[in-house]
Amino acid sequence: FQLQAEQTCRQLVRIQEEHEQLLQAAVEQAEGLEQSLRSAEAVLAERAAQLRDAQAQLSRNKLLIEELRGENTRFAMALQAAELKQKSMEEKNQLLEEQASALKQLIGKITPASLSG
């Protein structure tokens, strides 16, 4: 019985040592996984910050685009008004040229008549 008890005792010690090694390996694996998780969380936090920055920039860009659209509309209206004014001025200029031509013809008719009279 003594010999059997010693063998059983040694066997239990060996099993306990194996369990301790397995437990130590599991603890080390858990620590490695925890470190990997912290690294992944840090990367995710950084990416989230980048996305927030990009979203803020996108919002600013949208506002700028809206401002530029409004400005473009105002410029288009101003251009249209300027074109209308230019057309009006060209029409007035044409009318003045016609009146000047008519006056030259009238002066041309009056001058020889007054010189001969």
Side-chain angles (χ1 to χ4, degrees), residues 1-8 10:
F1 285 118
Q2 179 71 22
L3 181 60
Q4 193 176 6
E6 287 175 6
Q7 285 178 348
T8 304
R10 280 194 296 267

Side-chain angles (χ1 to χ4, degrees), residues 34-48:
E34 191 176 333
Q35 179 60 37
S36 296
L37 179 62
R38 281 195 294 271
S39 296
E41 286 174 340
V43 168
L44 284 174
E46 183 180 340
R47 294 285 163 85

Side-chain angles (χ1 to χ4, degrees), residues 6-102:
E6 287 175 6
Q7 285 178 348
T8 304
C9 187
R10 280 194 296 267
Q11 206 173 23
L12 285 174
V13 168
R14 217 178 16 241
I15 290 173
Q16 185 177 359
E17 287 173 353
E18 288 175 4
H19 282 200
E20 286 176 2
Q21 289 174 354
L22 287 173
L23 180 61
Q24 182 62 33
V27 167
E28 289 173 2
Q29 185 178 13
E31 289 172 350
L33 290 173
E34 191 176 333
Q35 179 60 37
S36 296
L37 179 62
R38 281 195 294 271
S39 296
E41 286 174 340
V43 168
L44 284 174
E46 183 180 340
R47 294 285 163 85
Q50 290 173 349
L51 285 174
R52 283 191 297 274
D53 290 346
Q55 190 172 11
Q57 184 63 43
L58 182 61
S59 295
R60 288 191 295 270
N61 289 347
K62 283 181 180 179
L63 287 175
L64 281 174
I65 288 170
E66 287 303 316
E67 289 176 14
L68 290 173
R69 281 186 181 151
E71 208 171 299
N72 190 34
T73 300
R74 289 189 295 277
F75 282 139
M77 290 171 59
L79 178 61
Q80 188 177 16
E83 287 172 347
L84 288 173
K85 189 172 184 177
Q86 180 181 0
K87 186 175 180 182
S88 173
M89 295 298 285
E90 287 172 355
E91 289 172 356
K92 287 180 183 177
N93 191 30
Q94 179 66 32
L95 183 62
L96 287 173
E97 286 178 5
E98 290 171 4
Q99 288 175 351
S101 177

